[in-house]
Amino acid sequence: MDIWRVIGRYGDVLVLSKKNSVLVLEISGKVPKVGESVRVWHNRILTGKETRAKLLAHFDEEQSLKIFKTPGLLSFLYEVSGGFEKRHIHFLKMFVKHLVPGRFLKITEEKKKIIKEFLPRALEAKGDTFYRKFSLWEFFRFVDENFRKTTFEVDDNILKKTISMRRVILSGENYDVYQIDLSFEKGIVKGRYVLIPLKGKAFLIVFKKENLPFVSFSVKEDVTISFLEDFLKENIIVEKKGSSWSLIWQGKEIIEFDLPDKEIIPKPEKISAQGVMDAVFLINDLLNENVRFLSLPSFGISEIWWEKNSSRVVLVVNTYHFGKVVADIFLEGRSLSVRFYAEKNLEELSSHAKELKKDLESIGLIAQLFFSRKDPMAWEGFNAYG
């Protein structure tokens, strides 16, 4: 029987500590107060009366020290995991393990909110049920980094001749806007220009400093001067819903961008968060430089953790038939080792081992595959699924 101290309480979720170890339990019944000491024995809490408890998470000494020494981290973990729900424990353990506390202490509440809104949905997403939101400039940065470059060019001389002697209808420190009497079928973003077609005419935004990636688009709703003003002030968002990339203004889809159904998977080593507000980039900004995190919920991939020095990748995929599937992957030269864990129907998953091994060997890899009921991301015998 062990004596633990209550260091946090969130409704029926109790956080206990003992000798630099942290235990997260869900209980029903009388809830001890923060600061009290309790006895824990075989999933029971004794406070003069026996209360049953369910293990939600366990953090070892290294992780617990970070939780103790980083103000606000415990409540942040509670919020991003939906109250330490078991399907989020994978993320929490890896996040705390690789977190740099000093970076967490500097993150703004606005950025925390972006991460909190993203994670619960991303960690549960199956396939293209997930929506992504970007500000306008985040979207342009995302297009530039994740989609194939094009040779399409905008002829500066033709555009300069078109707008010569025309009055500027909107102007700012970094842009001028013109209305031109030319008809265009598609809108265009490229270099310094954004061309927005109307009926028999078009708005042309000329930026003085920007260098935008090429993307074409269709205009679905009439565009007004008010829209242009909000566009330039970034009072709009870009959303990806299924295979559609749309610009939303005042709750309406104004523009649909011509981009592929699926985003190209970015290489983990190229993930950086400089000036980008997307949650994945913000999370990486909090981690040790040797580790990169990636989430591709539109593919059903909730987590990818890449440890550069060890050539280790941990991949977590949500499926309907097998539940959450974890692949713990090591690659050294041509030797590949993969340990699979499935939340359910593990025997059926392992029946594909021979076929998968043959495919891997056909591309020159010496493969070893393991199928285990023990979660490869569990610590000290505590399973991530309780």
Side-chain angles (χ1 to χ4, degrees), residues 125-188:
K126 295 181 177 70
D128 55 14
T129 58
F130 189 79
Y131 299 168
R132 297 191 74 176
K133 289 185 180 182
F134 299 83
S135 75
L136 183 64
W137 294 104
E138 289 162 19
F139 172 70
F140 289 149
R141 173 81 66 87
F142 182 78
V143 170
D144 190 40
E145 292 182 352
N146 293 288
F147 290 91
R148 287 196 185 93
K149 303 296 185 286
T150 175
T151 56
F152 181 92
E153 294 294 336
V154 176
D155 192 319
D156 265 22
N157 292 326
I158 292 177
L159 288 177
K160 285 176 182 175
K161 190 178 292 186
T162 302
I163 62 177
S164 64
M165 306 299 290
R166 280 182 168 77
R167 184 172 60 87
V168 174
I169 61 172
L170 282 175
S171 185
E173 184 180 344
N174 189 36
Y175 62 83
D176 289 320
V177 181
Y178 300 86
Q179 183 173 308
I180 56 179
D181 298 322
L182 292 174
S183 180
F184 296 89
E185 186 177 336
K186 286 280 188 180
I188 294 169

Side-chain angles (χ1 to χ4, degrees), residues 38-49:
V38 298
R39 294 179 184 275
V40 179
W41 180 72
H42 281 220
N43 290 335
R44 289 170 174 80
I45 292 179
L46 304 179
T47 54
K49 176 184 174 182

Side-chain angles (χ1 to χ4, degrees), residues 144-286:
D144 190 40
E145 292 182 352
N146 293 288
F147 290 91
R148 287 196 185 93
K149 303 296 185 286
T150 175
T151 56
F152 181 92
E153 294 294 336
V154 176
D155 192 319
D156 265 22
N157 292 326
I158 292 177
L159 288 177
K160 285 176 182 175
K161 190 178 292 186
T162 302
I163 62 177
S164 64
M165 306 299 290
R166 280 182 168 77
R167 184 172 60 87
V168 174
I169 61 172
L170 282 175
S171 185
E173 184 180 344
N174 189 36
Y175 62 83
D176 289 320
V177 181
Y178 300 86
Q179 183 173 308
I180 56 179
D181 298 322
L182 292 174
S183 180
F184 296 89
E185 186 177 336
K186 286 280 188 180
I188 294 169
V189 176
K190 177 67 179 177
R192 297 189 302 131
Y193 304 102
V194 177
L195 184 68
I196 305 176
L198 307 169
K199 292 178 180 176
K201 54 188 177 181
F203 286 129
L204 178 66
I205 304 172
V206 182
F207 290 100
K208 298 171 185 176
K209 301 174 184 176
E210 302 298 338
N211 184 22
L212 303 173
F214 169 71
V215 57
S216 62
F217 58 86
S218 303
V219 178
K220 301 179 73 173
E221 293 272 349
D222 287 340
V223 173
T224 63
I225 292 291
S226 296
F227 166 78
L228 286 179
E229 291 172 340
D230 280 354
F231 182 94
L232 293 162
K233 292 175 185 175
E234 295 191 64
N235 293 334
I236 55 173
I237 58 171
V238 178
E239 284 189 359
K240 180 177 188 283
K241 295 183 178 181
S243 61
S244 174
W245 300 78
S246 301
L247 184 149
I248 311 297
W249 178 63
Q250 295 185 351
K252 295 186 292 187
E253 293 187 11
I254 304 297
I255 283 172
E256 184 171 333
F257 292 97
D258 302 323
L259 288 172
D261 286 357
K262 301 286 188 183
E263 63 238 47
I264 294 170
I265 301 176
K267 293 182 179 179
E269 65 267 24
K270 291 189 176 179
I271 297 175
S272 64
Q274 302 306 313
V276 181
M277 295 294 282
D278 190 42
V280 170
F281 295 84
L282 293 178
I283 291 167
N284 275 282
D285 240 8
L286 301 175

